[in-house]
Amino acid sequence: MTNPSKPLRLVPFIVSLAIAAPQLALAAQLEEVFVSATRSATPMQSLNISAYRLSADQLTLAAATHLNEVATRLPAVWVSRGNGQESLVSVRSPVLTGSGGCGSILMAQNNVPLRAPGFCNVNQLFDAHLEFAGAIETINGPTPATYGANGLHGMINLLAPADPSEAPESIALELGGYNYNRVNITQQLGATATPWLVGFTGISDGGYKRDAGYDQQKFSVLHTRQNNTVKHTSLLSVTNLNQETAGYIPGDDAYKDSSAKRDNPNPEAFRDAYAVNAIHRIDGDAESINPWSVTIFARHNDMRFLQHYLPWQAVEETGHTSVGLQSSWQTGWLGGKLQLGLDSQLTQGYLKEIQPKPFSPNQPQGAHYDYEIDANTFALYGLYTRDLNAGLSWSSGIRFESTTYDYNNHLSDGSVCAPTASACRFYRTQDSNDRFSDWSGHSGLLWQVNDDHAIRVRLASGYRPPETSELYRLQNGQTAAQLDSESAHSIELGWRASFEHLDLDASIYRMNKSDVIFQDANRYYVTGAKTRHQGFELKLRSTLTGPWNADLAASFGSHEYSNDPGYLGLNQPIVGNAIDTAPEWMASARIRYTQEAWQAELEAIYLDRYATEPTNSNWYEGHTLLNLRVNRQWSSNWSTSLRVMNVANIDYAERADFGFGNERFFVGEPRSLFVTLTYQP
C-alpha cells in the first residue's frame, strides 16, 4: 500500500447531497446559543470563533454506539475508533497518539475537563455519558481564555440537558449484530417543576473480533433549582467499563482479508476503567449587569489495562482524584463587557507498571514504575468584548496558568534492569518538583455585515504543559526530562451566512506549533519539534420548508512536519512531509425525510487517504461509508428505530498504522443492523 493515487471523485457527490435541490426542505436554524466559549449561554452570532454544535435531536437520531458515529457531523473532527470504546481524537489536527494525543485537545463534560492537566489518557472520552448528553459542542482551534492547558487544537464538550423538566423520559431496548445489547433509561423523579433527571445506560457487546467485547454501565443525575436570583445546577456522572480488547491485525491490506479481519492477535488483552465526575454550578444575578458563576467539581478515575501493543505486555494501573473550581464575574467597562475569572484544582495521581512474565534483560519481569504525583493548577483569565460601531465588535482574552507537579517515586531510583543489561528500557527518575507557567491569548474582530452575513478574524495562542508520563516515565537511562510547554499560534478567517434556502459557516486557518514534545533517537523525551497546520472548514444546512432537509460537514487540512529534530526511528529528512494519520479531506453529508410518524436519514461519510508513518512511504487508501437510519412512531408512547451501518458492506479500516515493520489495522465492521424499541410514558 505504497502511496496510492486515488482521485477525490466522491467529494463532489457528498457535497451535492447537502445542497442538492430547492425541493430539499426545512432543517433547524443555526443554533441560537453556544455554551463552551464563555462557559455560559452566548448567542452564536456574537462569537468570533469556529464553533459547532450538535443538538439533542441530532444525537437522538444518530443513536451512536461510539462518539465516532456522531463526530463526523462536525467539520474537521475525527474520533478515530479503536477496539471497543477506545479512541484517538483529531480536531483540526492529525490523529495524535500517546500523551500528546490527549494533551493537545481539551475534552470536557459540562465545561469541566474530563482529566486534570498532566493526567490525560487518549481514551478518556469513554468517561463521559454520551447517551445522556443534551448537546455536543466543539471549538476548532486554540480555545478561549476561559480554558487553559490542553486546548491547542480545540475542544470537545459534552453538555447535559439544559432543563431537566423538558428532557423527554424514555426506556429504550436495542439489539445489534455480534451480540450487541443496550438499554437506555431516562426518567424524571421528584417535583414536577424541579425534577431530578436520572439516566442509565447498560451495554453488553460481544464484539466483532474474536475474544473481544465489552460491558459498560453509565449513570447520570442532573438537577437544577432557582432561588430568587441564584440558580443551582448539579450533575453527577459515573461510568464503568470492562473490556476484552482486540489488538491491531498485522499484514498488508489485512482489513480486506475475510479470513483474517475477525482475528484477535491479543486475546489476553483487557481494559478496566472507572470514573466519577461531580459538578455543582451556581449562577447569580443573571439578569443584572454583573452576573457571576462558581463551579465546584470533583473527579475520580482508575484504569487498569494490558499493554498488548508492546511485546513484553506489562500491566498498567493509573488514575487520579481532583477537586477544583471555576469562577466568573462580568461587568461593564470602558463601553464594553469584561469577564474575569479564577480557576484552580488540586490533584493526586498515581501510575504503576508491572510486567508479569520474563521477556529480556532489557525489559525485566517485575515492577517498572510506581509513583504518585500531587499536582496544583491555578489560573487567572480575562475576556473583553466591545462594539466599535453598529456592525463591528472587538473581543480579546488573556490567561495565565501555573501547573505544579510534586513527584514521589515509591521504588528505587535509576535503572530498572540488572547491571549486565545492555540497553535497559526503563528508568526511574528521582523525586522532584516541577512548575510550568504559561500564557495564552486571543484577539479578533467580528463584522456583522447585515442580518444575514458576518465575517470574523481571530488570532489565538494555546499551550499544554508536559504530561506527567513524559516527565517521569523515562526510558533508556534518561535521568531527567527537561521539557517546556508546547505552544501553538493561529490565525483564522471565518464567514457565517444565511441565504434564502441555506445556512453556511466556513473558515480558513493556519497554525504553527513549536516546542512539540517527542522521543528522540535515544528514546529521550525532549522538546523541539515543530509542525504546521492549515486548511478550511465548511458547515452547510438547508433551511426550506417541507419534509426534506440536508446538511454537510466538510474540511480540508494540510498537517506537516516543519523541522527535523531527530524523531525516534527516523534516519531521513521529513520536513514538508504529511504528519501520519492526517487525511486531507474529511466530509459527511446527510439527507433526511420527516413526514408525520416517519423519519429517515441517509448518511455518506468520506475519509481521504493518509500516510501511516512520517516518511510517507506507506499510505491507507481512505474509504466512503453509507449509513441508513429510520424511525417510526407507532403511537404517543411507542416507537421503533432501525440503523444499518456500512450499508454498502465495504472493507475499510477504522484506523491504519505502520509499526514494528508492518502495516496493521483496526478493522472496520461489515454491514451491521441495529433495532431499537422505545417506550415514552
Side-chain angles (χ1 to χ4, degrees), residues 530-556:
K530 297 180 180 180
T531 60
R532 56 178 173 261
H533 313 265
Q534 56 191 350
F536 70 83
E537 301 158 355
L538 178 65
K539 181 74 172 174
L540 296 174
R541 184 181 303 167
S542 64
T543 57
L544 296 175
T545 58
W548 294 93
N549 66 77
D551 70 272
L552 165 78
S555 63
F556 173 87

Side-chain angles (χ1 to χ4, degrees), residues 272-342:
D272 296 328
Y274 175 77
V276 180
N277 289 277
I279 303 169
H280 183 77
R281 173 168 172 146
I282 307 170
D283 290 279
D285 301 324
E287 303 301 324
S288 74
I289 61 172
N290 301 120
W292 56 271
S293 71
V294 175
T295 299
I296 303 168
F297 63 88
R299 73 167 73 86
H300 174 79
N301 56 74
D302 290 298
M303 183 162 59
R304 183 174 182 267
F305 63 97
L306 181 72
Q307 297 175 347
H308 62 87
Y309 42 84
L310 298 173
W312 46 92
Q313 295 199 336
V315 174
E316 179 178 329
E317 298 179 25
T318 183
H320 69 273
T321 301
S322 302
V323 293
L325 67 86
Q326 298 173 332
S327 63
S328 169
W329 176 75
Q330 297 181 30
T331 188
W333 186 58
L334 297 179
K337 183 173 72 174
L338 177 67
Q339 177 178 337
L340 300 174
L342 180 153

